[in-house]
Amino acid sequence: MRRRMLIVSLVLVGAMLVALMPPLVVTHAAERTQDLFAERLGDATRFAVVAEDALEEDTFTGLSADLQRYTEVYGGSVVVVNANREVVARAGPGGDDPRVRAATAEALDGAGAQPPPTAWPWREDSIVIGSPVGRDSQVLGAVVLSAPTQGVHEDLSRGMTWLAVLGLVTLLLTSYGVVIPFVGWVLRPVRRLDEAAVRLSDGDLTSRATEDGPPELRHLARSFNVMVDSVEASQRQQRELVADAAHQLGNPLTALRLRAEGLAEEGAEPGSVGLVLEEADRLSATVESLLHLSQVGAVPVTPAPLDVAQVVRGRCEMWAPVFDPFDVDVPAQALALATPEVLDVALDALLDNAAKFAPGSLVHVAVDEVSDPEGRWVRVSVRDHGAGLHPEDVPKVGARFFRGRTHQNVAGTGLGLAIVQARLADVGGRMHVTAPESGGLSVVLLLRAAP
């Protein structure tokens, strides 16, 4: 957008400069032509005064010498004719020029010289000026001066070149001094709004847009902030609802468990009481998971450099007695942006799933670093070799309350990986689940590598 606005603005400024140039060039060319005409008309008038005496005395030697010196200095040609249109003096290159004949006829008729058209470089190389010779109303002859316009052409070429350079410099100065700052001022609120939207999409509900810039963008930023406030309030109400519901369910479940234990002590059938206690424990686990899930996103999490390798080694040592065999491949150090709590919760959930859904199989835990177009990541993978999941169930892993179709009878709430996925999102991480062809399940956690 910035590039397009700059291009449009520069095109408009350039078009304005181009529109201003032709009038300037036309005015300058007309002024230079008029100056040349005035100078040469003065020369022709002076020669007419000299030629008057020469025609009266019928002596043209001095006149011819003056004309010769003039043409040597200024170029062109000068012709003096008498009343019978006979050439009595000439200097400069001759030739049968229709314009000279026309100017001669007008001068002999007593008409003054008319201003010539603008001396553009693509027109004739000279202008013709005629001046009558005589006193009062008596015309004794005429002086016709043909003046070259090469000097005007060169001056116009230099002027047009300098005007183009000046226009280019003006365009550059206007670009850096006006257009770029103006476009930046217009787009700065858009960029800030985009950054706020990116932060919001990453889960940062404290993100707000700055309400500055043009009125339309201020209104857009204000609308965005109102929307974020509504989203934040909605999510807060949802978390509060889940937390309140979990708290309210906790007390009846505790009472139900105590009641069932009391019935067992009073001699009730042990099998029935055991089923009731088992379901009560299951409901308690679900309520506790809901409490954990309601806390996700409630408080902003600030990830910091964390030695993932050290945390993984510590959790694997705690879980080692549960697995046989157990393969751990962890480097000496792997720094990522995370928090110990998030990584502990994620590893405990993944290792607990491996223990429940793939008992007795090999469990492999590895830590390494990978890169993609978005940057460097620390990868934590937990791979089991159990029965795995149905191919249609793999994309659903991480959804709340999801249970694989082959694991419906295994104890659990279906919220563990949903909590892991939400906690990872809090620190800018990701979770990927795949079902290898050799069987089992592979869960990969990606955490942004610390700089």
Side-chain angles (χ1 to χ4, degrees):
M1 184 175 180
R2 175 185 173 84
R3 185 181 298 108
R4 290 194 293 269
M5 287 193 66
L6 284 175
I7 291 175
V8 171
S9 301
L10 292 177
V11 168
L12 291 177
V13 173
M16 182 180 66
L17 291 176
V18 170
L20 290 175
M21 284 183 183
L24 294 176
V25 173
V26 170
T27 302
H28 180 65
E31 289 179 351
R32 288 294 294 116
T33 303
Q34 188 64 29
D35 291 342
L36 178 64
F37 172 70
E39 293 173 1
R40 297 300 173 260
L41 180 59
D43 295 338
T45 303
R46 179 173 61 84
F47 285 133
V49 173
V50 176
E52 180 183 353
D53 296 335
L55 288 171
E56 289 180 345
E57 297 174 1
D58 197 23
T59 303
F60 304 102
T61 304
L63 177 61
S64 298
D66 288 343
L67 297 181
Q68 187 64 36
R69 285 194 298 270
Y70 177 83
T71 55
E72 289 175 356
V73 174
Y74 295 102
S77 62
V78 183
V79 177
V80 179
V81 298
N82 57 21
N84 297 324
R85 299 191 180 187
E86 296 174 350
V87 177
V88 296
R90 178 193 295 274
D96 188 13
D97 190 342
R99 294 181 301 156
V100 173
R101 293 199 301 271
T104 302
E106 290 179 358
L108 290 175
D109 291 339
Q114 299 297 321
T118 303
W120 294 109
W122 54 86
R123 288 185 173 174
E124 292 86 354
D125 293 335
S126 63
I127 60 175
V128 177
I129 302 171
S131 178
V133 178
R135 284 191 188 93
D136 301 326
S137 60
Q138 183 182 8
V139 177
L140 302 177
V143 175
V144 179
L145 187 149
S146 178
T149 57
Q150 183 179 358
V152 176
H153 295 170
E154 293 176 353
D155 185 65
L156 283 177
S157 299
R158 285 194 301 269
M160 294 174 66
T161 302
W162 280 109
L163 191 60
V165 172
L166 182 61
L168 181 60
V169 172
T170 303
L171 180 62
L172 293 176
L173 293 178
T174 305
S175 302
Y176 284 99
V178 178
V179 174
I180 293 178
F182 175 75
V183 172
W185 175 73
V186 171
L187 293 183
R188 190 177 300 111
V190 178
R191 185 177 65 253
R192 291 176 180 171
L193 181 61
D194 177 67
E195 293 171 353
V198 171
R199 292 195 300 270
L200 179 63
S201 65
D202 291 337
D204 183 9
L205 293 179
T206 63
S207 175
R208 295 294 184 276
T210 304
E211 298 180 12
D212 58 0
E216 295 81 4
L217 294 180
R218 287 201 300 269
H219 178 73
L220 179 61
R222 194 176 304 114
S223 301
F224 175 83
N225 292 337
V226 171
M227 179 197 69
V228 177
D229 291 338
S230 301
V231 172
E232 185 179 17
S234 176
Q235 290 201 0
R236 184 174 59 252
Q237 291 172 356
Q238 291 179 7
R239 286 195 299 267
E240 291 174 352
L241 174 63
V242 173
D244 292 343
H247 280 297
Q248 293 299 323
L249 288 173
N251 293 331
L253 284 174
T254 302
L256 177 63
R257 182 177 180 81
L258 292 175
R259 184 72 173 175
E261 290 175 351
L263 290 175
E265 293 177 358
E266 294 175 2
E269 185 178 349
S272 300
V273 174
L275 291 175
V276 172
L277 290 175
E278 182 179 344
E279 291 302 319
D281 290 340
R282 190 169 184 176
L283 284 174
S284 297
T286 302
V287 169
E288 185 177 355
S289 297
L290 286 173
L291 280 173
H292 283 297
L293 199 57
S294 68
Q295 295 171 0
V296 174
V299 179
V301 178
T302 303
L306 175 70
D307 188 356
V308 175
Q310 180 181 356
V311 175
V312 171
R313 278 194 298 268
R315 300 315 299 165
C316 288
E317 289 176 2
M318 295 294 297
W319 282 88
V322 179
F323 302 105
D324 187 21
F326 193 32
D327 183 21
V328 180
D329 182 11
V330 179
Q333 187 181 57
L335 297 178
L337 297 176
T339 63
E341 180 188 4
V342 170
L343 196 53
D344 286 347
V345 170
L347 286 172
D348 286 344
L350 297 184
L351 293 174
D352 180 62
N353 283 348
K356 288 190 298 186
F357 301 120
S361 69
L362 170 65
V363 175
H364 178 73
V365 179
V367 177
D368 59 357
E369 289 194 13
V370 294
S371 298
D372 64 12
E374 296 184 13
R376 293 172 48 249
W377 303 84
V378 173
R379 178 172 60 184
V380 180
S381 59
V382 178
R383 162 87 157 89
D384 65 60
H385 293 75
L389 288 173
H390 192 277
E392 295 181 1
D393 289 342
V394 174
K396 303 175 184 178
V397 174
R400 296 175 182 178
F401 300 106
F402 170 74
R403 304 293 301 279
R405 65 189 66 186
T406 59
H407 301 117
Q408 295 294 326
N409 296 324
V410 180
T413 63
L415 291 172
L417 292 184
I419 294 174
V420 171
Q421 193 162 257
R423 288 295 182 95
L424 282 176
D426 279 348
V427 295
R430 302 175 185 170
M431 183 182 75
H432 297 293
V433 180
T434 56
E437 295 182 358
S438 57
L441 193 70
S442 175
V443 182
V444 174
L445 309 180
L446 291 176
L447 298 168
R448 289 196 177 277

